[in-house]
Amino acid sequence: MVLTQEVIEKSLLHPKPPGLVLQYGTAGFRTKAQLLDHVMFRMGLLATLRSKKTRAAIGVMVTASHNPEEDNGVKMIDPMGEMVTPTWEEHATRLANAEHEEIVTILETIKDKEAINLNQEAVVFVGRDTRNSSPRLSQSVIDGVCCLNGRITDYGLVTTPQLHYMVCCHNTGNKYGKPSLEGYYQKFCQAFLHLVKTVPNRTDDQKHLYVDGANGIGVLKMHDLEGYLNGELKISLCNDCDRGKLNHLCGADFVKVQQKPPTGFEKFPGERCCSFDGDADRIVYFYTDPDGTFHLLDGDKIAILISTFLKELLTQADLNLKMAVVQTAYANGGSTHYLEDILKIPVMCTKTGVKHLHHVAREFDIGVYFEANGHGTVLFSQATELKIHQLAEDPKTNVERKKALILLKNTINVINQTIGDAISDMLLIESILAIRGMTVQQWDAIYKDLPNRQLKVKVLDRTVIKTKDAERQAVTPPGLQETIDNLVKKHRQARSFVRPSGTEDVVRIYAEADTQESADTLAHEVSLAVYRLAGGVGGEP
């Protein structure tokens, strides 16, 4: 391989800790920051090869999202801003786990298998979050890129969705937008302003939103964003990197899992609030009643709000398009029922992981996807975008239809279609609430979630659990699914499923039923079945 000697010499400066084995998953690589230097250098090498293969810019984002501050991670971004393909995930895992003397051989194998011309120019975009370890680890990525003569654009501190956006813009010749932070803010904020200007006489209260920045990169970017909003959205930032730690007692994951407000939000009863996660690719909304009762509006609630709005606009615009909502098994049954039986919108269920939802959403004219954790977006096919644009510009289109078409056009422009984006999703949600004249309480009342419970059971080997039907049915061990089915029959409006964790030897259990007591009982009964049939360790649940 050309530059073999340099790869060998430079990789010695980024040694792999003995015995460390990592797996590239939906979230890329993620572990303690001090263990990742070699991974970052090697992902720089791999991203350069990927760029040479695709003849396009590739992104590398240094972040561990909602993980604790002492962790870090890395994920690669493909040419259209999407997640890297499964084949290259395998390349990444093999390269990250290779011993020093194997690196060149593995790079040669990738080059040959992918038919890569090493003389092809390579361009790699690099971004990072606010963790203390991120500048050092980002430099390791850059070292890897430079080792194979790749050209670097270092965006420094950006949210993960902002880097996805930059990659897409560059590779579409700026058709998606300008590949700069200013271009990002202009694109999404201008669309937001076009949407809310259709709503006259909005009060300051209606424009006001409390945002939990998770003490992360989203805080810095929200400060920048405000300059582009012309006062049409008044943001009060909390957990704003002033005193707290990244993701500690705050952020979208904390709020979703703990089912309570983040630190600093105890004094805002009745107010509309939202939480970002550490790299600002997830968002959940919430509010508390005057008596302190907490209400969460998660990804399921967000998908319902957006789907309802889009369906109304499609009807007003007299457009017959195929729209679907993509969920995972974790989506609340109340949301699925509302979508299918009330809105009459098809629902597709797929495996957990945004890459799976994104793939299925692309099969429709309009695909809405959100995981319950608040990670999601909306995809529009190119044909759909073109049709809406042409009809909106057609002088023969009548006034009422044109009004709906223009709203659709601006709705498309306020959405970051490359990936779930807390900032873009926030602007979309705020636009819809303004246009529909809804409070957060009215949004919450659209449908009622079924009570649910999530548990996990430690097992000796998580791979004994095999699933099918988008992880809703256990294939192995023998007898487990039959046991779950019999337990579910004991409860009303009930369902339960189990799936192995992607990162640790635990089995995750989900159960829902008509009452919280039934959901708790069912979850416990299923956890006992998993413990007994799938090799549980430690004391019984």
Side-chain angles (χ1 to χ4, degrees):
M1 174 182 254
V2 179
L3 304 174
T4 295
Q5 193 58 40
E6 187 172 359
V7 170
I8 292 170
E9 290 174 1
K10 288 287 177 65
S11 65
L12 284 171
L13 302 176
H14 304 276
K16 173 181 173 289
L20 180 67
V21 177
L22 297 170
Q23 176 75 37
Y24 193 106
T26 297
F29 291 112
R30 233 180 252 183
T31 189
K32 299 298 179 191
Q34 67 266 27
L35 301 176
L36 280 169
D37 179 61
H38 75 293
V39 173
M40 299 295 175
F41 173 75
R42 296 175 188 193
M43 290 309 99
L45 296 172
L46 190 66
T48 310
L49 290 182
R50 181 68 176 154
S51 178
K52 291 175 184 289
K53 163 73 176 179
T54 59
R55 301 187 178 191
I58 296 295
V60 180
M61 183 69 196
V62 177
T63 182
S65 188
H66 58 275
N67 279 38
E69 191 166 356
E70 57 269 21
D71 291 355
N72 217 319
V74 61
K75 43 190 167 187
M76 284 172 51
I77 301 167
D78 252 5
M80 288 300 103
E82 72 274 46
M83 294 183 178
V84 74
T85 63
T87 301
W88 283 75
E89 288 183 3
E90 293 169 13
H91 293 333
T93 298
R94 198 173 305 112
L95 186 59
N97 293 323
E99 298 306 321
H100 171 71
E101 59 273 13
E102 300 172 320
I103 293 175
V104 170
T105 302
I106 289 173
L107 291 174
E108 287 275 13
T109 301
I110 295 169
K111 175 184 77 76
D112 293 342
K113 184 177 180 181
E114 301 290 344
I116 295 168
N117 175 11
L118 289 179
N119 294 320
Q120 175 67 39
E121 185 184 58
V123 179
V124 178
F125 290 1
V126 180
R128 67 178 190 271
D129 69 11
T130 55
R131 295 165 200 269
N132 290 332
S133 59
S134 290
R136 172 179 59 84
L137 294 176
S138 179
Q139 185 56 53
S140 297
V141 173
I142 292 169
D143 290 349
V145 176
C146 293
C147 204
L148 292 182
N149 285 345
R151 185 158 53 86
I152 287 284
T153 299
D154 185 2
Y155 281 97
L157 290 165
V158 289
T159 70
T160 295
Q162 285 177 333
L163 192 65
H164 282 256
Y165 165 87
M166 306 296 182
V167 171
C168 182
C169 289
H170 176 86
N171 290 325
T172 56
N174 295 5
K175 286 179 183 175
Y176 192 65
K178 298 176 188 172
S180 66
L181 284 172
E182 183 182 31
Y184 173 93
Y185 297 126
Q186 285 177 343
K187 175 182 172 70
F188 298 120
C189 289
Q190 283 176 9
F192 168 75
L193 293 174
H194 283 310
L195 286 166
V196 297
K197 79 177 181 184
T198 64
V199 186
N201 305 319
R202 289 169 68 228
T203 66
D204 284 348
D205 282 348
Q206 290 169 325
K207 295 177 183 179
H208 190 253
L209 176 66
Y210 287 93
V211 178
D212 163 26
N215 293 310
I217 184 66
V219 172
L220 305 184
K221 301 311 171 185
M222 286 300 286
H223 285 308
D224 295 341
L225 182 83
E226 284 185 283
Y228 294 84
L229 292 173
N230 295 354
E232 290 298 326
L233 184 59
K234 299 180 183 297
I235 295 161
S236 293
L237 268 171
C238 303
N239 299 314
D240 58 357
C241 304
D242 187 27
R243 289 183 298 276
K245 281 180 64 178
L246 175 69
N247 295 323
H248 180 61
L249 303 179
C250 60
D253 192 62
F254 172 84
V255 173
K256 170 67 176 169
V257 172
Q258 299 299 323
Q259 299 277 309
K260 65 181 182 181
T263 296
F265 278 76
E266 298 82 4
K267 302 174 184 176
F268 311 132
E271 297 287 353
R272 191 171 72 256
C273 309
C274 70
S275 279
F276 293 1
D277 70 336
D279 65 338
D281 64 357
R282 294 186 192 181
I283 186 171
V284 296
Y285 272 67
F286 62 91
Y287 68 96
T288 53
D289 290 334
D291 66 2
T293 304
F294 174 77
H295 297 266
L296 174 69
L297 293 92
D298 61 6
D300 295 340
K301 293 273 186 179
I302 293 169
I304 295 279
L305 180 72
I306 294 169
S307 301
T308 305
F309 179 67
L310 288 173
K311 183 168 184 183
E312 288 174 354
L313 287 183
L314 290 176
T315 300
Q316 293 164 13
D318 193 24
L319 288 173
N320 184 22
L321 296 173
K322 285 175 59 184
M323 182 169 82
V325 175
V326 188
Q327 297 182 326
T328 71
Y330 284 105
N332 191 278
S335 71
T336 309
H337 164 73
Y338 188 84
L339 286 163
E340 291 183 327
D341 298 341
I342 308 301
L343 292 180
K344 307 296 183 186
I345 295 175
V347 175
M348 313 301 291
C349 187
T350 187
K351 288 172 63 177
T352 303
V354 173
K355 64 183 179 183
H356 302 299
L357 286 90
H358 194 94
H359 178 74
V360 174
R362 289 173 67 180
E363 297 173 8
F364 298 89
D365 297 326
I366 302 174
V368 180
Y369 75 82
F370 274 85
E371 290 192 293
N373 62 25
H375 193 159
T377 188
V378 186
L379 304 184
F380 297 83
S381 70
Q382 287 186 347
T384 296
E385 288 195 31
L386 183 61
K387 186 174 186 177
I388 289 169
H389 183 79
Q390 288 175 340
L391 286 169
E393 301 297 319
D394 188 344
K396 297 175 187 173
T397 304
N398 70 54
V399 174
E400 284 305 309
R401 191 183 188 199
K402 180 167 285 193
K403 182 180 175 183
L405 287 161
I406 290 171
L407 281 173
L408 276 169
K409 190 170 77 168
N410 287 318
T411 299
I412 291 169
N413 288 334
V414 85
I415 294 167
N416 185 348
Q417 296 188 55
T418 65
I419 195 72
D421 182 341
I423 291 175
S424 163
D425 289 339
M426 175 194 74
L427 294 175
L428 173 60
I429 291 164
E430 292 299 310
S431 300
I432 295 171
L433 293 177
I435 291 167
R436 301 190 77 200
M438 294 179 74
T439 65
V440 68
Q441 291 83 358
Q442 289 169 328
W443 169 19
D444 190 27
I446 291 176
Y447 77 94
K448 188 176 180 182
D449 276 330
L450 284 168
N452 59 89
R453 178 65 62 201
Q454 294 186 43
L455 298 174
K456 59 184 180 181
V457 175
K458 288 187 177 181
V459 293
L460 189 63
D461 177 12
R462 68 182 184 273
T463 63
V464 302
I465 301 274
K466 296 282 191 293
T467 65
K468 65 177 182 178
D469 189 23
E471 301 176 314
R472 291 176 291 188
Q473 295 275 315
V475 177
T476 60
L480 178 58
Q481 188 57 50
E482 184 181 356
T483 303
I484 293 171
D485 290 342
N486 289 331
L487 291 170
V488 166
K489 288 174 185 174
K490 294 162 54 180
H491 302 272
R492 294 181 60 195
Q493 292 181 266
R495 70 182 180 101
S496 182
F497 66 90
V498 302
R499 57 179 288 272
S501 165
T503 55
E504 53 185 331
D505 280 320
V506 301
V507 177
R508 303 192 185 280
I509 290 138
Y510 179 91
E512 66 183 30
D514 64 333
T515 68
Q516 191 63 58
E517 183 181 4
S518 281
D520 292 346
T521 300
L522 178 57
H524 181 251
E525 290 170 339
V526 172
S527 71
L528 282 172
V530 169
Y531 180 89
R532 291 164 183 169
L533 296 172
V537 296
E540 278 196 348

